Amino acid sequence: MDQFLIATITGLSTAGIFAIAASGLVLTYTTTGIFNFAHGAVGMLAAFSYWQLLDWGLPTGVAVAVVLLVLGPLFGLLVEAVVMRGLFDAPETSRLVVSVALLAAALGLGVWLWPVDESRPLDFWFEDNFLGILGVRVRWHEAIAFILAVVVAIGLRVLLRSTRAGVTMRAVVDDRGLASLNGARPGRSAALAWALGCSLAALAGILLAPAQALSQQTLTLLIVNAYAAAMLGRLRNLPMTFLGAAVLGLLDSYGFFYLPTDGRFGPYLSTFRFAIPVVVLFIVLIALPSARLRTNAARRRLAAPRPTWFTAGFQAAAVVGGAVVLAIGLSDADALRAAKAVGFALIALSLVPLVGWAGQLCLCQMSFAAIGAVCMGHLGQGGNPWALLAGALIAAVVGVLVALPAARLTGIELALATAAFAVILDRWIFAMPDIHLWGMTLSTFNRNPVPVDRLSLPFAGTLTTKGLLVALAVAFALLHLLVVAVRRSRAGDLLLALRESPAACATLGIDPAGTRLAVFAFSAALAAVGGGLYAGTLGSISPSSFDLFQTLPLLLLTVAGGVAASGGAIFAGVVLGLIPVVGATFAGIAGLLGILPGTMGATLGRNPDGVSTQLAERLAPLRSKPAVLAVVVVVDVALALAWANDVLGGWEASIAAFLLPFLAARGVNATRAPRTARLADPLDGLEDRRLGPADVSAIDEALALAEVTR
Amino acid sequence: MTTVEASPLVELRGITASYGPIDVLHGIDLAAPPGAVTALLGPNGAGKTTTLRVLAGLHPATAGDILLAGRRVNGARADDLARAGLCLVPEGRGVFPNLSVRENLRVATHAGHGLAQVEEVAYARFPKLGERRAQLAGTLSGGEQQMLALARAVATDPGVLLLDELSMGLAPIVVGELYEQVARIAAGGVAVVVVEQFARIALRVADRATVLVGGRVAAEGTPGELEGSLADVYLGGNR
Ligand SMILES: Nc1ncnc2c1ncn2[C@@H]1O[C@H](COP(=O)(O)OP(=O)(O)OP(=O)(O)O)[C@@H](O)[C@H]1O
Ligand SMILES: [Mg+2]
């Protein structure tokens, strides 16, 4: 009984902190229409800044005030001005990716400013003072947290319902133009909303920190727990959010006190505690009706090029050719790095159909990859390539299992549900020992790194490092062609229709749920193949190589590169491959590079179609001049050979080889005689061309989508 | 019907405007004196909504002058114009659907009047809204939503009131009620511009009318003067 009382009171004080975090999230969402994935990371940064201020000798009160009243709001203003402004009419996927990018950037910033290999203890407020409640000793810190939660709740309620500033913030989300017509200043409202939201995240962060070791990922994830509470309040109902926070806090505490750590089930349940909030989040997401606000409609459209076979084949050949050149010129260690980069690109490729075409923002891609990797480890002894197929099949089934309950979810909710799934795998399933059921053994990591044998191919035998690099590039090229084939088939058009308007799909007799299951299965299978091959470059795998925090940079870089085409995947692979190289060459900025994926993703507000789409557009003129194209290829190959034979340095050769095609394309463009403008049928010659709004409307009209997609 | 001889409170001179490369207004002249209803008529796509958006600062004019109380206000932001007393009730959706009636009125207080006063005026004009002050605006009926849109416009005591298709989707009896209110608002000294598809409704309350066709002024005059020529220039009316 005593233990129950202690557990309950401890749980409620944690609940207070969750409530503060969750209400900050609700505030940001209702007042900006943006679900702030970075909320947890902002809290984490605040906690570290707080520690830093104390470490510099500031008194507690001053440090708290500086964090809550200066740093938090300033960060919010900065985020609003630099990242979020101008996103209000962007497609929902872009808005979400930008907020995920902010999360990644904040995490990177945290790790850069406060390197992880140092312990940073934080004291509770009023350290040694306890309070007796019902005979239970409660820290003053915890009691204060609870009281603050109540104060925040009442304050927010008053702000959002009964003050002009609060009501105006909600009005701006509802209809920005109408708000200006009423004389409101939308920009100012958004700035205020971000400042307040970040300040609340900061409060949650510094309240939470003393009970935890100050660690970037743990703190960020702990506040992610609050997302479950916010979703229970359907992102706008504050009382329900508080109830959700209470439930979560209690479950967390009971889990700590009562989950067995030994006995038959102990090993399986002891890590379950860390997954409780995400399990709750997952259940809430699939059980409750949609929580999304009707926000300002997106006016910008995303591109989704449909490559010709010529272009696709050329790209495939370029990838393999590039790999061969690298294999010739690189040392074994560097070739292994390059192979890893190709492995990343392979996993990134799986994002193209799912995120790029179907618009399903999925945050558990690395978990699918992990399935492929584990299969490769367990079934692929001796480098048996058939294990890849087994991994693909299992991952496809898991993909369907994820997509089934999530059938109704879109946007934020799907992103959260898949993130929750990823964390359930990372923190619980992959942390379990082997499961023995009905005479079968189900094994993931069994609490140990799993060795993965290097791929062995018929005729070639076990691959050398350089052989592995080339094999991975060939695999990428083949899967790229498969992806292109899907894009060029009717299935590709269905996926685009799903992205543009699920409702219109239904009226056209397309089954959105079935389409979605199919694309999840396809993408999961691709990711598993990628994961299996990637695992082969690591030699031995552990859950942390495939957790949620690995999915983030992968997703962000692919989107920044242009997630609607394989170019985005290549971009992601190249950047992730270059980060350690650049970090080693320029040690001074090594830490900064961790922020790179996040900042790249955050620039998306300005350029939602991604880098590779733009580059491809620049290169388009070359297609009309095969002779020039051939010359470019020959010169590039010559440059590569020059480097491989030590005639040229690596950087010089790569830069020259990279720039040459663009210069040639410009040249072609300049020499071409100006043609008289011709008004083509918008549905003609769409191949390889970026869709403009006019094209999309024409297609909509042809498909009778016009009414529904407006 | 009264003839009003006052200098216009709001005026457009030679306004042109475009959406991207497509020009939609080709030199519009329009003047709305205080205390009068000016009707802006024309078929679908004539540019009526665009004209009001230019007036309200929501859309840039590529050439020409926008004059508010004799001062050129080209390039002013919509919220600044709103606080200066120019009020547009946009086509179709003049309310915030996720806000309650009362909260909708609270947003209107940016234009300078306190909530108490705004509520008093609004509920006095439209008692029905008073009964539903806690209801979400999105759940009001179409007519009630237009009443709310009109109420927030009136309650801010604007000098210029621009109404875009007040009648859209409403039953004739409701439209009649709304336009009675519009006439009363104008009588209080406000310069009112109403945009209507259906000429007959608007001409009943209008003091002067301008007919737009294809982004140009096709005719201008009192309802009496236009009566005869209207059918020639304008085929959209149901007369
Ligand atoms: N956002 C926009 N982008 C491109 N063209 C537009 C846009 N809005 C309006 N147009 C075009 O500008 C022209 C004038 O439109 P406007 O809405 O002003 O007409 P209107 O007279 O209000 O028509 P209605 O009576 O149907 O409301 C139309 O041809 C329309 O297609
Ligand atoms: Mg119109």
Side-chain angles (χ1 to χ4, degrees):
Chain A
M1 189 56 214
D2 242 13
Q3 199 189 21
F4 182 73
L5 206 59
I6 295 173
T8 306
I9 290 179
T10 315
L12 283 179
S13 74
T14 319
I17 304 176
F18 283 170
I20 293 172
S23 48
L25 200 63
V26 170
L27 174 79
T28 318
Y29 186 64
T30 43
T31 55
T32 63
I34 291 176
F35 183 89
N36 187 13
F37 272 95
H39 200 71
V42 174
M44 175 275 292
L45 285 181
F48 275 87
S49 316
Y50 173 61
W51 173 86
Q52 187 69 68
L53 292 177
L54 292 181
D55 196 50
W56 285 339
L58 257 64
T60 308
V62 177
V64 170
V66 169
V67 171
L68 294 189
L69 303 178
V70 182
L71 297 181
L74 270 185
F75 190 77
L77 292 180
L78 188 75
V79 164
E80 196 275 330
V82 177
V83 184
M84 299 295 169
R85 192 171 292 173
L87 269 184
F88 62 91
D89 63 347
E92 194 186 16
T93 331
S94 307
R95 276 191 253 179
L96 279 171
V97 170
V98 168
S99 114
V100 172
L102 193 61
L103 163 63
L107 259 174
L109 188 67
V111 176
W112 179 47
L113 291 178
W114 295 281
V116 276
D117 46 9
E118 191 182 319
S119 106
R120 301 182 181 82
L122 261 183
D123 291 333
F124 290 99
W125 292 344
F126 306 101
E127 193 180 350
D128 293 323
N129 293 297
F130 286 81
L131 198 71
I133 298 178
L134 298 173
V136 178
R137 276 156 54 88
V138 176
R139 280 182 198 281
W140 266 101
H141 183 95
E142 291 167 339
I144 290 175
F146 194 81
I147 294 168
L148 278 177
V150 175
V151 171
V152 165
I154 297 172
L156 280 187
R157 167 101 196 161
V158 171
L159 172 74
L160 289 177
R161 300 267 154 200
S162 315
T163 67
R164 191 174 78 181
V167 172
T168 305
M169 290 188 229
R170 288 166 53 215
V172 169
V173 178
D174 245 16
D175 189 332
R176 198 182 169 93
L178 187 59
S180 330
L181 287 176
N182 275 283
R185 298 175 179 90
R188 224 182 258 191
S189 262
L192 180 60
W194 280 103
L196 269 175
C198 286
S199 195
L200 281 177
L203 179 58
I206 59 179
L207 282 173
L208 207 47
Q212 311 292 332
L214 210 53
S215 132
Q216 283 90 351
Q217 292 199 357
T218 315
L219 266 179
T220 303
L221 267 188
L222 269 175
I223 304 181
V224 170
N225 295 349
Y227 294 178
M231 289 313 287
L232 199 66
R234 300 183 59 208
L235 285 177
R236 63 194 107 162
N237 185 334
L238 282 173
M240 280 302 282
T241 302
F242 272 71
L243 184 69
V247 169
L248 273 172
L250 288 175
L251 280 178
D252 187 56
S253 170
Y254 294 152
F256 180 73
F257 279 92
Y258 292 112
L259 277 181
T261 49
D262 44 19
R264 182 150 146 64
F265 295 112
Y268 303 104
L269 289 178
S270 59
T271 49
F272 180 62
R273 182 192 168 211
F274 304 110
I276 291 176
V278 279
V279 171
V280 173
L281 175 60
F282 198 74
I283 294 172
V284 165
L285 283 169
I286 60 184
L288 281 192
S290 171
R292 291 157 70 218
L293 271 183
R294 205 195 58 104
T295 55
N296 295 299
R299 280 195 290 272
R300 285 184 255 159
R301 305 270 203 153
L302 293 173
R306 186 166 185 254
T308 57
W309 280 120
F310 175 77
T311 312
F314 192 82
Q315 288 163 343
V319 167
V320 176
V324 169
V325 169
L326 287 179
I328 296 172
L330 287 180
S331 68
D332 261 1
D334 283 338
L336 189 63
R337 282 210 186 113
K340 261 182 215 168
V342 183
F344 260 121
L346 272 162
I347 304 176
L349 189 63
S350 71
L351 291 167
V352 170
L354 188 60
V355 180
W357 305 339
Q360 312 287 313
L361 194 62
C362 172
L363 296 183
C364 60
Q365 218 62 18
M366 274 306 215
S367 308
F368 294 142
I371 293 172
V374 168
C375 281
M376 197 63 206
H378 289 313
L379 306 176
Q381 268 107 7
N384 184 355
W386 289 106
L388 290 174
L389 194 65
L393 287 177
I394 296 175
V397 172
V398 174
V400 168
L401 287 183
V402 175
L404 259 184
R408 188 175 54 71
L409 306 182
T410 54
I412 309 163
E413 292 162 332
L414 184 71
L416 276 177
T418 49
F421 177 75
V423 176
I424 291 173
L425 286 191
D426 306 341
R427 300 269 146 151
W428 183 31
I429 308 282
F430 289 164
M432 274 187 196
D434 288 352
I435 302 172
H436 305 282
L437 263 185
W438 304 300
M440 289 192 308
T441 301
L442 193 67
S443 177
T444 54
F445 288 90
N446 201 17
R447 295 175 161 174
N448 281 310
V450 174
V452 180
D453 290 340
R454 186 167 286 184
L455 205 60
S456 159
L457 291 178
F459 309 116
T462 299
L463 295 172
T464 61
T465 304
K466 293 182 171 179
L468 188 66
L469 170 60
V470 175
L472 255 60
V474 171
F476 184 91
L478 292 177
L479 291 180
H480 158 65
L481 292 176
L482 174 67
V483 165
V484 168
V486 171
R487 173 65 190 88
R488 293 181 56 86
S489 73
R490 183 174 143 75
D493 293 336
L494 287 189
L495 293 180
L496 286 188
L498 187 67
R499 175 180 87 183
E500 292 300 331
S501 166
C505 278
T507 64
L508 285 175
I510 303 166
D511 170 18
T515 313
R516 172 139 21 146
L517 289 187
V519 68
F520 258 93
F522 179 55
S523 168
L526 277 181
V529 173
L533 291 169
Y534 172 62
T537 66
L538 296 179
S540 135
I541 52 170
S542 59
S544 65
S545 339
F546 294 97
D547 67 9
L548 176 65
F549 294 106
Q550 303 300 319
T551 296
L552 297 184
L554 186 80
L555 173 79
L556 296 172
L557 288 173
T558 312
V559 174
V563 69
S566 311
I570 298 178
F571 179 84
V574 169
V575 174
L576 283 172
L578 281 180
I579 283 179
V581 178
V582 175
T585 318
F586 310 97
I589 59 161
L592 247 169
L593 290 170
I595 313 173
L596 190 67
T599 40
M600 280 192 167
T603 58
L604 209 70
R606 312 228 154 65
N607 176 20
D609 288 334
V611 176
S612 73
T613 318
Q614 289 201 329
L615 295 186
E617 223 166 90
R618 298 261 163 84
L619 290 180
L622 283 183
R623 257 182 310 131
S624 61
K625 286 264 189 285
V628 179
L629 186 59
V631 171
V632 168
V633 171
V634 169
V635 175
D636 265 4
V637 170
L639 280 171
L641 291 176
W643 163 70
N645 292 305
D646 287 334
V647 180
L648 259 180
W651 288 109
E652 292 85 346
S654 347
I655 291 172
F658 179 79
L659 286 183
L660 179 70
F662 295 97
L663 294 175
R666 281 193 80 155
V668 169
N669 236 2
T671 56
R672 200 185 283 171
R675 263 189 291 181
T676 48
R678 181 177 67 98
L679 260 183
D681 179 337
L683 286 175
D684 264 343
L686 277 183
E687 308 249 353
D688 244 356
R689 190 155 65 83
R690 186 164 147 213
L691 289 192
D695 301 323
V696 178
S697 332
I699 293 168
D700 280 355
E701 225 156 79
L703 295 173
L705 285 175
E707 290 308 301
V708 209
T709 53
R710 275 293 129 72
Chain B
M1 217 149 298
T2 51
T3 16
V4 187
E5 294 301 335
S7 63
L9 198 50
V10 62
E11 195 177 355
L12 296 181
R13 287 187 195 151
I15 287 293
T16 65
S18 57
Y19 290 102
I22 304 162
D23 292 328
V24 291
L25 299 183
H26 312 270
I28 303 286
D29 296 313
L30 180 75
V37 177
T38 308
L40 188 57
L41 308 174
N44 287 118
K48 309 182 293 293
T49 298
T50 309
T51 307
L52 292 197
R53 287 173 57 82
V54 170
L55 257 174
L58 287 175
H59 193 87
T62 43
D65 300 315
I66 308 163
L67 301 169
L68 187 60
R71 259 185 299 161
R72 190 167 183 276
V73 292
N74 289 47
R77 285 201 327 230
D79 47 318
D80 289 329
L81 289 173
R83 285 192 300 275
L86 182 139
C87 180
L88 167 64
V89 177
E91 199 172 16
R93 33 162 204 116
V95 301
F96 301 103
N98 293 312
L99 267 53
S100 70
V101 168
R102 190 150 187 268
E103 288 167 342
N104 264 276
L105 293 176
R106 194 188 281 276
V107 181
T109 60
H110 280 284
H113 295 279
L115 180 63
Q117 194 193 340
V118 168
E119 278 194 284
E120 195 187 306
V121 176
Y123 300 152
R125 293 247 188 196
F126 301 99
K128 228 184 203 167
L129 293 178
E131 297 161 21
R132 301 183 170 272
R133 64 187 77 184
Q135 191 174 332
L136 284 189
T139 63
L140 294 173
S141 79
E144 289 162 351
Q145 292 195 18
Q146 287 294 38
M147 280 179 201
L148 177 54
L150 200 53
R152 78 96 180 148
V154 181
T156 58
D157 198 9
V160 179
L161 180 58
L162 313 173
L163 302 171
D164 198 350
E165 305 249 7
L166 210 50
S167 67
M168 195 190 269
L170 298 183
I173 178 141
V174 183
V175 177
E177 270 172 41
L178 287 174
Y179 273 104
E180 256 168 50
Q181 294 288 353
V182 171
R184 233 182 288 160
I185 294 163
V190 179
V192 181
V193 179
V194 297
V195 160
E196 269 300 337
Q197 280 282 331
F198 300 114
R200 210 159 35 169
I201 308 172
L203 288 180
R204 267 206 305 259
V205 293
D207 299 288
R208 290 192 78 83
T210 297
V211 181
L212 290 191
V213 177
R216 291 192 169 78
V217 176
E220 203 277 333
T222 64
E225 291 162 6
L226 286 179
E227 202 75 31
S229 59
L230 204 55
D232 303 335
V233 291
Y234 169 51
L235 303 169
N238 58 343
R239 333 179 21 195

